[in-house]
Amino acid sequence: GGTLVSSLAGAFGGSLRETRLTAILGYAVSLAPDRFIALFGIRGKVLSVTLEANHKQNRSDIFIETTHGKCVIEAKCSPTDPVTQAFKYRADWRVLLTDYIPTVAQSKKSGVKYVQWDRIAQVLRDLSKTSNTSIRFVCSDLLGHLEEHNMVRTKDSVEIYAREINNEITLSLF
């Protein structure tokens, strides 16, 4: 028995994996670099985008080289802080894709930018409307994968407030 594949991201396996997300995201960045470097706070013209870049004994998720410097992107599917991991690599900028909420001091650290997955989703939604079919396909597919695994909010996300679950009928559902 095989697995039903309904997307490019799903072709690599049904479960959520950071390596899969960053591989497809890195490809999207290479197709539409200007949109992403603006979000990431990177300066210069993109010269290269490398996935699983080797740095002596370790690998960074995405490595971007521009005319103004180098950027390491580390991603986490969970709300953990990848800052320690990102500082293992020499770079001018470090972008941390995570749902971890940094402290005020962490968010002000020079050369470090925390980006939540919902911000990535906003860029993917915009790029999913472009006339370039390659960009549109990759961004739509990655967005769908993120939504399918509840990494980002969808347009029809439902919020449940505590006061709404504080009755006997609703509480019995849990």
Side-chain angles (χ1 to χ4, degrees):
T3 303
L4 179 64
V5 176
S6 60
S7 68
L8 174 64
F12 299 109
S15 62
L16 188 66
R17 297 262 192 265
E18 289 165 10
T19 51
R20 292 179 197 143
L21 289 179
T22 55
I24 298 170
L25 178 61
Y27 184 50
V29 169
S30 73
L31 292 173
D34 295 341
R35 294 300 303 274
F36 288 99
I37 65 169
L39 172 63
F40 298 155
I42 300 170
R43 293 186 321 275
K45 182 182 183 312
V46 173
L47 301 173
S48 67
V49 177
T50 307
L51 305 175
E52 293 292 316
N54 285 315
H55 302 267
K56 295 184 182 174
Q57 297 177 6
N58 296 300
R59 289 190 312 243
S60 62
D61 293 334
I62 301 171
F63 186 73
I64 301 173
E65 207 166 346
T66 75
T67 54
H68 285 75
K70 299 173 182 174
C71 175
V72 166
I73 299 176
E74 282 298 325
K76 295 294 175 198
C77 292
S78 61
T80 55
D81 188 1
V83 72
T84 303
Q85 186 176 356
F87 270 96
K88 291 180 182 178
Y89 319 114
R90 295 183 65 169
D92 301 292
W93 306 283
R94 289 165 182 85
V95 176
L96 311 174
L97 301 180
T98 179
D99 283 331
Y100 172 80
I101 307 296
T103 65
V104 173
Q106 287 173 316
S107 63
K108 290 183 179 181
K109 194 167 192 165
S110 179
V112 175
K113 183 161 186 179
Y114 286 85
V115 177
Q116 292 187 325
W117 286 104
D118 277 325
R119 297 285 310 279
I120 296 292
Q122 290 171 352
V123 172
L124 294 173
R125 280 187 190 99
D126 290 345
L127 290 172
S128 295
K129 299 172 189 160
T130 186
S131 61
N132 182 308
T133 55
S134 296
I135 294 171
R136 191 171 62 231
F137 172 77
V138 170
C139 293
S140 295
D141 194 78
L142 178 55
L143 179 60
H145 192 67
L146 291 170
E147 289 173 348
E148 179 183 341
H149 290 282
N150 299 310
M151 288 285 296
V152 297
R153 287 185 218 115
T154 60
K155 291 182 181 182
D156 54 338
S157 293
V158 177
E159 293 184 21
I160 299 174
Y161 295 95
R163 69 178 183 275
E164 293 174 351
I165 63 168
N166 198 15
N167 64 51
E168 218 172 298
I169 295 170
T170 309
L171 290 174
S172 67
L173 297 173
F174 298 97

